[in-house]
Structures are given as C-alpha cells and as structure tokens.
Amino acid sequence: MKDKLLALRDEALSRLGDSDLEVWRIEYLGKKGELATVLRGMATLSAEERPVVGQYANEVRAVLEEAFAARKAELESHQAALREKTETIDVTLPGRTPFLGAEHPLRKVIRRIEDIFIGLGFTVEDGPEVELDRYNFEALNLPKDHPARDMQDTFYLTEEILLRTHTSPVQARTLERRCPETPIRIVVPGRVYRRDDDDATHSHAFMQIEALVVDHGIRMSDLKGILLQFARDLFGADQEIRLRPSFFPFTEPSAEMDIRCIYCHGDGCSTCKHTGWIEILGCGMVHPHVLEAGGYDTSSLTGFAIGMGVERIAMLSYQVEDIRQFYLNDVRLLEQFATLTR
Amino acid sequence: MKITWNWLSQYVDLQGLTPQQVAEDLTNAGIPVESLAPVAAGVENVVVGHVKSAEQHPNADRLRVCTVAVGAAEDLTIVCGAANVAAGQRVPVALVGARLPQGPIGKSTLRGVASEGMICSASELGLDVRLLPKDQTTGIFVLPADAPVGESIVEYLELSDMVMELELTPNRSDCLSLRGVAYEVAALYGREVSIKAPELRTPPQDKLPLTVEVATDRCMAYSAQVVSGLSLRPSPLWMQMRLLAVGVRPINNIVDITNYVMFEWGQPLHAFDYNAIAGGHIIVRDAQRDEALVTLDGQTRALEPAMTVIADPEKALGLAGVMGGESSEVTANTRAVVIESALFDPLQTRRTGKRLQLRSEAGTRFEKGIDPAVTLPALARAVELLCEYGGGAIASGPRLAGAALADANTGHDAVRQVAVRAARATAVLGFTVDAGQILSVCERLQFAAREENGTVLVDVPSRRPDIRIEEDLIEEIARLIGYDHIPATMIVGSLTAGGLSNEQQLTRMATDHLIALGMQQVVTYSFVSPTVAERMRLQPDDELSRMIPLLHPLSEERSVLRTMMLPSLLEVAEYNVNRRQLDLRLFEIGTVYLSESLPLQKQPTERRVIAGLLIGQVQAPSPHGESRSVDFFDVKGMVESLLKRIGVDAAAQYTRSRAPFLHGGQSADISAAGSQVGLIGKLHQEACADFGMELTDAFYFELSVEALLPLIRERLHVVELPRFPGTLRDLALVVNRALPVSELLTAVRSVAGPLLDDVRVFDVYTGEHVGIEEKSVALRLSFRSRERTLTDEDLQQPMAAVLDALTIAYGASLRA
C-alpha cells in the first residue's frame, strides 16, 4: 500500500510538467482520481496499518497539492508574461493631454490682489463703467473745469454721462450708500477708460483696482502698514516699500508707493531706471471733501485710499513688455499662463 | 520743466550739495526728477580759439588752412572744411588729444597739410542743434567776439552744467519757475533764497506814451511798460545756452529775455512792437464775433467771444496768454517794445489754447495759475534785462490795471491763513508731531507762522496756491519731515469679514470651471465698430443694434459700446486664426451695454455675460488616433456642466433660436425657470466669413450672469443614498424625425409616476430600419422606491402609462 502510494506520487509528479493542469488534477486529486482510489482500498487494511497508511496518504496528497499549486502559479505567471509581451507599448509616446485652459493674466492679477485684501477684511465691490459726471469727478474733489477732467482725456457719451476714468467713483457711491456706517473696507477692481492712443504703455481701456478704508482713527501709518503687507504678499516676503509725496485730487496727503526693483533687487537696472525702485501705485489719506461728499463727519473720521493699474503689475510680474499684448489675446501667449502658478 | 544747476544756484545757496543728492531729495519730497544729465557730455580739451587767418588750401577747393591762436605760445595750423570760417572769428578748437562726443581728435594730414586739431560745429560739441538758429548749425559754431581765447569751452559754454528735468504733479505749478524750485530746495536744506525783484522805474517823462485799459473780467491783472532804443541782436551766449539747456529755442535778445524771465519768475511775458499799437493804447477785452487775427505762426484765426484779446482801439493785437499777433511782432526794425506782464483767467487760456490747438510754455503756466505777486517783479526784471542786453531805455512809466494789482500795489503778497493742529497732524500721520516741529517746517518753507495752544496759524504766501486746508499743511509737514519717517502700523479697530458678493463668487466659479474644461480666458475691449450690427446680421430695429456711440471716439473701429460679446470673441478668433492657431476655446466674462433709447437719457444697463467661442478639434493632436471637430453637443455639454457646477437647480430648456447670427438648424435659446438665460449654437456662415473664417465651423454660447443669479440654489446638503436597488427599463420608440427628444422626456416624466427616478436618451437612430420621416429614440427609464425593492408588477402600470401617453401624444410606436 505504501509502495503503491509512493509509486503514485512519483508518477504524478513526473507527469505534472507536460499534462494539462486540470486533467492532471482530476486524474490524481479528483474525487474519482488515483489517490482517492488508493485511499478507498484502505478499508481492507488492518486497524494498526490504517492510521499509518492514512497519514502517509495525507502526506502524498499534500505534496501533490503543493506541486499542483506551484505549477498553477508557474503557468499563470508565464501566461501573464506572454500577455504583457503582446501588450507592450512605447511609454515614451505623448499622452492624450486635455487642452489646458488658463486664466487671463489681468484676471489672475486681480484675483490675487482681491484675495490679499479679502484676507485683510475687505469686501469686493463693483460699480458701473458708464458713470455720471457727479460720481466720477464732482464727488471726488474734481469740480467742473478742473484740468484733470479734460474733455481730451475722458470718453463722454453725453454731457453728464461718461466712461469712468478710474475706479474711484465706486468709493463715492459706497460712501453715499453706506453713510454713516463704519468701518468701510472695500476693494474695487474694474475697467476704466482714458482717451489715450494705444501704444506700448498706454491703452484706451485698462484695469484698475483700488482699496478704501474709512473709520475712526485711521492713520497714514496704517496705510503704510497695509501697503507693506500687500507688497510682501504680492512680490515676496522680503519686499521693501517707499512712499513719496504725490498729488491726487481725492487724497491729501498723497503718496506714490515704490517697491524694491523686482529685477535687480535694488542694485539698479534699466527697468527701474537705475534707481533701485519701481513705482507701483498711488495712495493717500482720503481728502476731506470726498468724505464730506459722502456725508461723513471729517472731524472724527479719517480714511485712506489706494489705487493701482492692473496692467502695470501684470507687466512687471510676468515681464510682458507691451500693454497691448493683454488685449490682443494671442493664445500662444495666454496659454503660457496655464503653467504659471501665480 | 527743466532747470539747470548753475542757473538754480543763482537763487539759492547750493554750497556743499551735489546735483545727484538734490535730485534724489527732490524726488523724495514729491518733485520727481525725471532725468539728470550735463548740457553736453564727453567734451574735453576743447578751447576758445582766435582765427588769425584763413587761407585757401593749396590742394583742395573746399578746405581752408587756418592759423589759430589758442592762448598757447605757438599758434596752431588747422585745416577746416566749413564754408563759414573766416579770419577774426572766435571758435571752439578741439586740440590734438581732445575728446568729443563722437570720439577723440588726433593729428591728421588733410591733402598734404598737417592739421593740429579741429574747429568744431555745434553738433560736434553735442549741442541740441534742433533748437539753434540755422546760421549757428551750418558750418562751425562761431562764438562771440569777446570769448576769452584759450578758455576751456566746457567752462565758457557751461557744458558741464547739469540739466534736471522735473516731472511736476498738477498741484505744484509753483515749480514751473526757478524761483519756485529755489524755495523748494531752500526748504529741503534750510537754506536762504536770494531772488531779488528789481523796482519798477518811472522816467521823469514818458518818451513814448502808453495807456492800458482792462475791459473784461477774464484778465485779473495787466501791467506794461515801454522800452525804446532797442537793437535786435542775439542775446548773450550764456542766456542762449541756458535757454537751450531747458529746451527753449534762442531767437533774439528781446524774445529770449521774455523767455528767460518766464523761466526765472514763472510769469509769461509778451513783447509788442510799440509802433504797431494805434494810439499807444492797449485794451484787454473779449473777442468780437467775426473778428479775425493773424497769429505769429502766420495763420488766420477766427475769434470767438469766449476768447480774450489784447487790442488797440483799431484791432486785435494778440490772443491773451495764448499767442501774439503777426502785426505787432517784434522784427529787425523794431526799436521800441511794450512789455506785457499779466494775469489771465486760466480757464479762458486753456479753452482758447485747446480750441486753436496751440500749446506753449506760456499757455501751460497761465492754465495752471500764476502767482499774482510776480506780475510786477517779472515786468521790472524784463525791463532791466532789455536795458542791459538790448541797449534799451525806459520810455514810459509802468501802466497797471486789473483787480489783482490793487493788492499788489500795497506791497504785500496776498496771503491765505491756514491753521494746523499738532494733534490732528499726529492723528492723521500716525507719528507724534508737535507745534515746534510744525513751526520749524514753516520756517523752512518761509511761511510766517505762530502757535496758539497747539494750533499753528500759517500765512501761506501766494506762491503756494496748492495749500488751502489743514490737510495740505499736514502733507507739507510729512513731506519735509520725510515720508520715510511714517511708521508701518496695522489698523486698530473692529474686525471685518472680507469676501465676495454672490455675483463675484459665481463668476469666479464659472471661470474656474471653464478653465478646467480647457477653455482659455480672454479680455477684450468694450468699444467696437458700429458695423458689427450689420456683420452680425442684426435688423436695425433689433435692441442689439442700439449701440451707444462715444462723443469723441479715437477711431471709427472703436466708436460704440458693444451690446454683445460675440464680435469681441470673433475678433480674437480672427487674430489667432491668422496666426495659424486653429483650435480655439475662448471665453470671457465681459460686460455689454444696453440702452433703452438713443440718444442716451440715463446710464445704460450693464450686463455681465459669460461667453464662449470654440473652433477646431476637440482634442490636441496626438498619435493615438483620429480627433474630430467640435460640434454643437460638445458645447452644449460644456454649458450643461457649467450650469450644474454653479448650482443652477432648475432644468434648462433648449428651444430653437432665432438669433440671426446663429445657424438656423443648430442653435438654441437656453431658458430655465421660465426666463431666458442665454443661447448656444453654431455660428451663421456669414457671421464667420465676415471675420475671415469662411470655412470654419464656430460654436458660440453665452449666459447672462444676471439671469443665472436667482437660479442658484441655496441648499448646502446632500441627498441620502437609496437603500433599495433600482430597476431599469429600456424603450425603443419610433417617432417623427422632427420631434424634439426633450418633449418625449418631459412627457415620460409627467406620466411615469412617483417611482420614476430618472430617464435618459441613450441612442437616436435614423436610417434604413425606420421610415424616412422617422427616427428611433432609445430611452432608459430608471425606477426606484425608497421603501422596498420593486417587482415586475410594480412597473407594469407606469410603463404602460408611458407608452400610452407617447403613442397618443406623438404617435410613437415600439420599434420592432
């Protein structure tokens, strides 16, 4: 019996390599297979022999099952290898890249600036582009016949209706609407118009973004603090700013803000005209006439305003040389912004 | 405004300062110095020479051999090719080894004669020849006969003097004069200003009588005086050089003196030929209707009553503050002039200048306002210079008229008192300012001031008209203490929540979604050509044809406000297609401007529109098989996903559009919750062709932000997942080919009962297996109950109801 089992084991193992695996399994391990047949003969054995042979038979079964599993794995792995071989592709071929959309650089800059001010507690306000003379000029301390509101520089639609020349009328509208509410903290992006012939640095339509704060106890030093924060958020944590006196009809005192040249870091280059500084924006303490026009009490309230040209910041940030590029919308340029992370 | 360092040093002590430092400090004080450069750079070893003789060159017709004394022991032999060289002249001589802007000068031999240097022309010295008279720029630069032989030309012509160009803000018109800049520099460094006004002098008796009369309120002050015995000649070279340096063309001694005094005092002056003034009587009056004047430039100007003229009893002599007249122009025969120093209404001057398109240094100063305190000193200064450099003598007493001179006659500057509180300055600036500091700033500015209980009362002189209120003085304080003194602090006050409005949130979300779908955002101008109405095939009475015109457009191409986004996007597409960019997926969230009627009565409605234009392939070219062209359903899918993304809850309806710029068979109006929110479609072939895309299929969509906003759902929670499986039933129906599938879907939804969860179209077939007028539509209905698993019996009734309804309403039959 034992010899029979041994012979059966050896035969089965020797045939495993060249048999169909399932046929082999049925033949040797199946319910009606060779091993089962041998085991069925155990009934004829004596009570002493039976456990010994039984254990032996189990060992043979274990060996065969193990051999079967190993062979099965071997064949499967071989088949997988064959399939992979036929399925092999050139992984260096380009992928099916979806078109990469991109935000327009001017919108990108506006969003960044909006987000900086939102983080500082400002709400974003809009206003009409087609404005009334009253809001664009008069309420902003630019009375009729002020040289700065020249017919030459403004697109008029009628005598009283014009295309706003700056985003500041939204200041006037907000003050008028919210008076006497405080604090006012708004940021206003938008398109503005000047009667300029288009060239590398001028456009008859361009974007501005401005901020306005009105509250009790607002100081020019607060303006400087916000500007420093803003400049560092926008141009890097090590940015420095410089304020220089300037003039705007709707602020007093007024200032221009320069940042350290972002190209030469202050060493002097052609962009900063070798001064180490680049002019970025205008700002100042809200002129009392503007607060008064909005109905606010100038003896107890002060405020500051900041205004900047979006194109200028975009030109500096992305090294675009000609403002008209932003409005030509050459997709070869615009597509590059899909890969610019800021 | 340009000034020179040497010129400025005449009026303010500049000891120990450098032009570079002053330029930087002026910039930091709000007077930006745009440029700083020497009058002429790169000239060395050039001296004044005396041409002792100029002989014909033995071997060349056009050359002269000159013997030139240069203050050295030996005279030099110099070969010169200029036609105007002559014995006796003083000339600039570049010695051997000299440097000129174009390069160094060496010893050379010209046609066999050795030349020991070069006689220079004005341009060779680096001077701006555009401003010099022609006789000074053709050939060599002939110097005055008293030029000291041997002196360095750089010294003699002050070529190393530094020219500063100031970029003045509109409020600082006081710095349109050397006097104003001198006060500013004096304030920066606490220096003294030394500008003395000569006294007006009256001769014992008038040789040439003059009377003046002001007959308009647009002239606030008029002063004039006669100077006779003049001889017209070039002004002294130093004066010419200074005018040249600041960009003014030297002409003759009389004109140059008026310009020189204008730069010095900021007061424009005019010189009339005395003999041209009938009766020696000057009247300042409004121009008459139909009056004409030939101005100095030879043009005949039609005058209007809104203009102010200087006239005699017979005729207009000149336009006040704008330009003189030809008839009273100073000429070579002029022996006596009337010098005018006056104050004209800035607005009148500006309007007249603009009307006649005449801009001048004088006009600019009148427009910005002139210090009334300088009217008389400037007149006296001009008269003084005319006597000194024009050989003239005073021939009449000064004649004064006008309201402003009444004050001036008292001998006091008109002043304005402005108070500034130290506490207010501190509160506004954010650093402590005390009354002592304010007084010190006022002293530097040379403003009289005194303190009363922390308030400083300041007498602001008329030279600073920009200072009117307390804040103006606070700026002066900050400016002179230095803006860099302002600390950086954070706002103290209640916290506020920043954020976007609903509309801004929506446009940001839409932007992000479209970009994620591969769309490229563009930004286009709002001005378009009025021809776009026709190019978009709009009827004249279409509301979209009512484009608001600009009163003064820059060009016809950009002369009206757009009423639709499509032409703007087409313009971008055309630009890119012309550059062989053929796969375009453009979008813009832009503004259109709609008016109720024209001409405009009130502000138009501004609508924000999300608009997209797609042409070309759906995918970038790749080696992995064929791509295909964008079609209607690509774009519709994009719109559907966008509506979902921004949270539009209501189902959108697509109904055939009548928009004239869209393809009649492939376009739809989009509406939701009963109102139109946009449209979508293939562009009409003519609209495409008009933008240079004859053979291109272009697809367009637009959605009104205003219409979408009320449709955005407020809900911010999810729907619970079903616990029981759903059951699907497919229906293949044969219907009329023209039947919109959306009607089938609507009908299914209305009759299928509460168990219907969803219904979709999964196939549409036309072809040989159905009739020619028919199509087969395959629908997949999904049923689901929240309480239990559905059985076949549950679905029998709803399916039968659907089939009945579709058969009755649309003649639908089950496909065999």
Side-chain angles (χ1 to χ4, degrees):
Chain A
M1 201 72 189
K2 190 176 164 186
D3 294 342
K4 225 173 173 177
L5 280 169
L6 274 178
L8 176 64
R9 184 193 70 186
D10 293 345
E11 181 197 301
L13 289 178
S14 72
R15 286 188 53 201
L16 179 60
D18 40 58
S19 306
D20 180 280
L21 196 61
E22 189 57 17
V23 172
W24 184 91
R25 188 188 64 80
I26 293 165
E27 188 174 347
Y28 293 103
L29 291 169
K31 279 181 186 155
K32 292 173 182 168
E34 297 278 347
L35 191 60
T37 312
V38 173
L39 288 176
R40 264 196 299 279
M42 278 190 26
T44 61
L45 295 180
S46 66
E48 294 83 47
E49 273 179 314
R50 214 177 284 167
V52 181
V53 174
Q55 192 195 343
Y56 211 76
N58 280 335
E59 278 173 26
V60 169
R61 174 182 287 275
V63 167
L64 291 188
E65 276 176 350
E66 194 180 323
F68 171 78
R71 176 63 181 159
K72 191 178 176 195
E74 185 192 336
L75 282 177
E76 276 173 359
S77 122
H78 178 68
Q79 246 153 24
L82 269 182
R83 196 167 63 234
E84 279 188 1
K85 197 160 186 188
T86 60
E87 287 174 1
T88 294
I89 56 170
D90 178 359
V91 296
T92 66
L93 282 176
R96 276 184 209 96
T97 323
F99 284 122
L100 266 189
E103 190 164 27
H104 190 280
L106 297 178
R107 297 281 177 211
K108 217 173 160 96
V109 168
I110 286 177
R111 189 190 293 219
R112 277 176 65 195
I113 296 174
E114 280 176 355
D115 285 345
I116 292 171
F117 280 99
I118 288 171
L120 292 166
F122 288 62
T123 53
V124 184
E125 291 282 341
D126 293 317
E129 291 172 21
V130 180
E131 255 302 356
L132 299 176
D133 186 284
R134 178 155 74 96
Y135 291 109
N136 194 70
F137 291 129
E138 268 167 84
L140 295 168
N141 198 31
L142 281 145
K144 291 238 193 263
D145 287 325
H146 193 287
R149 53 181 295 180
D150 221 304
M151 285 292 276
Q152 295 283 9
D153 308 325
T154 307
F155 286 111
Y156 280 87
L157 301 179
T158 72
E159 206 162 297
E160 289 300 320
I161 304 176
L162 48 82
L163 284 149
R164 65 178 176 191
T165 56
H166 45 194
T167 42
S168 308
V170 184
Q171 283 189 21
R173 283 179 177 275
T174 305
L175 290 175
E176 191 181 85
R177 193 179 71 242
R178 304 241 297 244
C179 181
E181 188 189 313
T182 57
I184 303 257
R185 286 175 199 166
I186 58 166
V187 59
V188 185
R191 184 176 284 204
V192 303
Y193 301 83
R194 303 259 170 102
R195 237 178 135 270
D196 268 332
D197 284 314
D198 295 346
D199 63 26
T201 53
H202 294 86
S203 173
H204 72 271
F206 58 100
M207 309 262 197
Q208 274 190 343
I209 186 159
E210 70 177 64
L212 171 74
V213 170
V214 176
D215 202 353
H216 298 273
I218 297 294
R219 305 158 291 181
M220 198 157 173
S221 58
D222 299 332
L223 166 63
K224 201 171 185 178
I226 288 271
L227 289 174
L228 186 63
Q229 181 71 35
F230 168 77
R232 290 183 171 175
D233 279 349
L234 200 59
F235 295 106
D238 56 349
Q239 253 304 338
E240 290 173 65
I241 63 165
R242 172 176 88 163
L243 293 186
R244 283 182 292 107
S246 188
F247 172 75
F248 306 105
F250 29 87
T251 51
E252 189 72 32
S254 303
E256 302 271 4
M257 184 189 89
D258 299 339
I259 57 166
R260 275 281 174 214
C261 179
I262 53 177
Y263 298 124
C264 65
H265 305 287
D267 297 339
C269 65
S270 61
T271 303
C272 63
K273 291 185 195 149
H274 303 280
T275 62
W277 295 95
I278 301 181
E279 188 180 314
I280 289 290
L281 56 80
C283 57
M285 301 302 287
V286 181
H287 197 287
H289 293 173
V290 175
L291 290 174
E292 280 159 17
Y296 283 87
D297 173 13
T298 54
S299 67
S300 65
L301 286 161
T302 46
F304 64 73
I306 302 167
M308 68 198 96
V310 174
E311 282 81 354
R312 175 162 175 76
I313 292 177
M315 286 168 86
L316 285 172
S317 300
Y318 303 123
Q319 304 193 20
V320 174
E321 304 270 325
D322 189 325
I323 194 170
R324 288 168 293 196
Q325 289 286 353
F326 295 125
Y327 293 95
L328 282 175
N329 295 295
D330 190 318
V331 293
R332 293 167 300 178
L333 180 82
L334 296 181
E335 275 162 5
Q336 297 180 37
F337 288 92
T339 59
L340 300 181
T341 52
R342 291 217 303 168
Chain B
M1 169 73 184
K2 286 183 180 172
I3 60 166
T4 84
W5 181 256
N6 290 352
W7 197 352
L8 179 66
S9 68
Q10 218 173 305
Y11 314 112
V12 61
D13 173 19
L14 297 174
Q15 278 293 314
L17 299 170
T18 64
Q20 289 73 16
Q21 189 193 339
V22 171
E24 191 179 329
D25 292 339
L26 277 172
T27 300
N28 288 333
I31 312 283
V33 176
E34 184 66 12
S35 64
L36 179 66
V39 172
V43 178
E44 275 172 42
N45 250 330
V46 181
V47 299
V48 177
H50 172 65
V51 183
K52 286 178 148 177
S53 66
E55 308 293 337
Q56 184 63 46
H57 190 292
N59 306 321
D61 288 351
R62 296 199 176 170
L63 297 180
R64 241 70 69 80
V65 179
C66 306
T67 306
V68 184
V70 291
E74 303 271 319
D75 290 343
L76 303 178
T77 300
I78 296 176
V79 179
C80 179
N84 66 334
V85 70
Q89 287 170 337
R90 301 284 155 102
V91 292
V93 177
L95 304 175
V96 171
R99 292 199 160 271
L100 291 174
Q102 301 99 313
I105 297 299
K107 206 165 187 169
S108 60
T109 302
L110 291 154
R111 296 259 178 146
V113 178
S115 183
E116 303 165 299
M118 184 175 94
I119 303 177
C120 305
S121 70
S123 76
E124 282 159 344
L125 292 173
L127 297 176
D128 188 349
V129 292
R130 287 167 305 173
L131 293 175
L132 282 169
K134 207 160 181 222
D135 61 340
Q136 299 223 53
T137 58
T138 41
I140 55 164
F141 188 37
V142 180
L143 303 173
D146 62 356
V149 175
E151 185 175 340
S152 152
I153 202 79
V154 172
E155 307 245 318
Y156 181 65
L157 294 178
E158 297 188 69
L159 295 184
S160 59
D161 190 8
M162 296 298 281
V163 181
M164 276 185 197
E165 185 170 8
L166 309 177
E167 192 190 10
L168 296 174
T169 52
N171 60 327
R172 293 307 302 270
S173 54
D174 59 304
C175 287
L176 285 169
S177 66
L178 271 300
R179 170 180 180 256
V181 180
Y183 273 108
E184 184 66 23
V185 172
L188 287 181
Y189 304 106
R191 303 280 173 111
E192 285 297 313
V193 174
S194 54
I195 180 161
K196 280 183 289 292
E199 292 290 311
L200 281 170
R201 287 185 294 145
T202 306
Q205 65 183 72
D206 285 0
K207 265 172 63 190
L208 299 171
L210 176 72
T211 46
V212 301
E213 172 191 347
V214 173
T216 171
D217 55 7
R218 295 199 294 246
C219 171
M220 289 81 76
Y222 197 89
S223 67
Q225 190 161 17
V226 186
V227 180
S228 66
L230 295 164
S231 64
L232 201 72
R233 54 179 186 245
S235 61
L237 192 63
W238 60 263
M239 185 181 283
Q240 292 187 43
M241 290 303 297
R242 282 185 178 174
L243 291 174
L244 205 57
V246 301
V248 173
R249 182 190 299 273
I251 293 171
N252 57 48
N253 51 356
I254 297 174
V255 174
D256 290 1
I257 284 167
T258 61
N259 282 327
Y260 188 80
V261 174
M262 174 173 73
F263 268 79
E264 193 174 59
W265 287 85
Q267 168 70 56
L269 302 171
H270 190 71
F272 299 92
D273 186 333
Y274 178 80
N275 287 332
I277 301 170
H281 184 59
I282 284 179
I283 308 159
V284 187
R285 59 167 170 81
D286 299 342
Q288 288 152 9
R289 214 172 290 280
D290 303 325
E291 197 170 5
L293 174 71
V294 180
T295 44
L296 280 176
D297 53 7
Q299 297 219 40
T300 303
R301 310 284 183 170
L303 305 183
E304 295 163 18
M307 300 172 177
T308 307
V309 292
I310 313 301
D312 63 20
E314 295 166 4
K315 60 191 180 295
L317 300 168
L319 277 162
V322 177
M323 194 180 250
E326 200 175 58
S327 68
S328 57
E329 186 181 1
V330 172
T331 66
N333 300 323
T334 302
R335 293 292 169 265
V337 297
V338 173
I339 293 290
E340 162 203 289
S341 174
L343 273 183
F344 299 112
D345 177 20
L347 275 176
Q348 181 281 137
T349 320
R350 184 155 67 98
R351 289 199 185 121
T352 305
K354 207 180 291 287
R355 190 101 176 80
L356 302 177
Q357 297 193 318
L358 288 170
R359 286 197 69 80
S360 62
E361 291 274 359
T364 304
R365 284 170 175 77
F366 278 120
E367 284 173 22
K368 304 208 163 179
I370 292 162
D371 180 0
V374 305
T375 311
L376 298 182
L379 178 65
R381 174 69 168 152
V383 168
E384 178 187 73
L385 289 173
L386 281 173
C387 293
E388 193 173 348
Y389 298 106
I394 295 174
S396 83
R399 297 286 176 264
L400 315 181
L405 286 180
D407 303 334
N409 273 332
T410 64
H412 294 293
D413 281 2
V415 292
R416 183 185 304 112
Q417 193 170 72
V418 182
V420 58
R421 295 159 290 169
R424 177 74 176 179
T426 300
V428 168
L429 296 175
F431 64 90
T432 307
V433 179
D434 61 33
Q437 281 170 296
I438 300 178
L439 288 170
S440 139
V441 163
C442 289
E443 196 185 335
R444 286 163 66 187
L445 289 164
Q446 305 188 30
F447 294 174
R450 63 179 198 282
E451 187 209 337
E452 276 173 19
N453 305 322
T455 298
V456 178
L457 300 170
V458 184
D459 291 339
V460 180
S462 58
R463 66 183 154 84
R464 290 296 304 274
D466 56 316
I467 299 176
R468 297 177 168 274
I469 60 172
E470 188 172 25
E471 281 70 16
D472 296 326
L473 278 173
I474 293 174
E475 178 173 270
E476 289 300 296
I477 295 163
R479 203 167 69 79
L480 289 178
I481 291 177
Y483 273 20
D484 54 359
H485 203 75
I486 301 171
T489 57
M490 277 323 248
I491 297 172
V492 177
S494 51
L495 287 176
T496 46
L500 297 169
S501 70
N502 289 342
E503 177 180 328
Q504 290 154 359
Q505 243 155 10
L506 185 151
T507 54
R508 271 203 189 187
M509 222 187 292
T511 301
D512 290 343
H513 185 70
L514 291 171
I515 289 169
L517 292 178
M519 298 283 280
Q520 176 60 61
Q521 189 176 36
V522 300
V523 170
T524 59
Y525 293 130
S526 308
F527 298 167
V528 293
S529 160
T531 61
V532 298
E534 197 192 322
R535 297 166 79 187
M536 291 294 104
R537 310 177 72 249
L538 299 173
Q539 294 298 316
D541 60 350
D542 193 315
E543 152 182 72
L544 297 178
S545 294
R546 203 159 53 234
M547 302 188 190
I548 305 161
L550 305 177
L551 286 185
H552 306 286
L554 287 169
S555 68
E556 181 70 10
E557 275 300 288
R558 306 226 176 273
S559 61
V560 297
L561 290 175
R562 67 183 171 198
T563 54
M564 52 194 301
M565 295 297 297
L566 176 58
S568 299
L569 291 180
L570 277 170
E571 205 179 301
V572 174
E574 181 179 26
Y575 177 89
N576 282 292
V577 165
N578 286 341
R579 281 155 190 77
R580 305 300 300 156
Q581 300 297 307
L582 303 176
D583 300 332
L584 297 172
R585 303 152 310 281
L586 310 170
F587 84 97
E588 177 171 11
I589 303 183
T591 307
V592 297
Y593 310 81
L594 304 171
S595 65
E596 276 174 22
S597 61
L598 288 178
L600 208 56
Q601 298 297 318
K602 55 180 183 129
Q603 278 170 283
T605 305
E606 294 179 28
R607 286 232 167 89
R608 197 97 57 187
V609 177
I610 305 170
L613 182 71
L614 292 94
I615 67 173
Q617 301 291 298
V618 286
Q619 183 137 37
S622 84
H624 313 298
E626 292 287 296
S627 184
R628 63 170 175 80
S629 298
V630 170
D631 66 18
F632 179 88
F633 296 106
D634 291 319
V635 183
K636 184 173 175 186
M638 205 169 245
V639 169
E640 286 169 329
S641 76
L642 176 62
L643 292 177
K644 272 197 183 137
R645 177 70 189 87
I646 61 178
V648 171
D649 232 0
Q653 317 290 321
Y654 295 79
T655 50
R656 224 164 263 302
S657 174
R658 293 177 187 278
F661 44 87
L662 295 180
H663 184 298
Q666 292 193 21
S667 62
D669 291 335
I670 310 170
S671 56
S675 60
Q676 183 165 350
V677 297
L679 49 81
I680 179 173
K682 184 172 173 172
L683 285 194
H684 193 282
Q685 200 51 52
E686 283 174 25
C688 263
D690 217 87
F691 282 86
M693 293 176 287
E694 286 79 2
L695 300 172
T696 312
D697 285 349
F699 293 87
Y700 176 71
F701 70 85
E702 65 174 44
L703 293 166
S704 155
V705 171
E706 187 188 43
L708 291 175
L709 266 177
L711 304 176
I712 309 297
R713 70 167 167 258
E714 294 294 323
R715 167 164 74 68
L716 280 176
H717 58 84
V718 297
V719 176
E720 197 189 347
L721 293 179
R723 287 185 206 160
F724 299 97
T727 308
L728 301 178
R729 287 287 183 276
D730 290 351
L731 271 181
L733 296 166
V734 177
V735 293
N736 186 293
R737 198 166 181 159
L739 177 70
V741 170
S742 64
E743 292 196 25
L744 286 179
L745 297 177
T746 309
V748 169
R749 286 194 194 98
S750 67
V751 300
L755 294 178
L756 183 75
D757 189 38
D758 191 21
V759 54
R760 290 164 188 276
V761 194
F762 69 92
D763 188 37
V764 176
Y765 170 83
T766 54
E768 52 181 317
H769 299 295
V770 294
I772 200 137
E773 292 295 321
E774 291 172 338
K775 64 182 169 189
S776 161
V777 179
L779 302 179
R780 176 158 295 164
L781 289 73
S782 140
F783 293 92
R784 190 190 296 280
S785 158
R786 300 195 69 81
E787 281 91 36
R788 60 195 169 81
T789 303
L790 296 178
T791 62
D792 281 352
E793 288 90 78
D794 291 328
L795 302 186
Q796 271 168 13
Q797 190 278 326
M799 286 303 290
V802 165
L803 203 53
D804 280 356
L806 298 184
T807 308
I808 293 163
Y810 305 110
S813 58
L814 278 176
R815 187 171 165 197

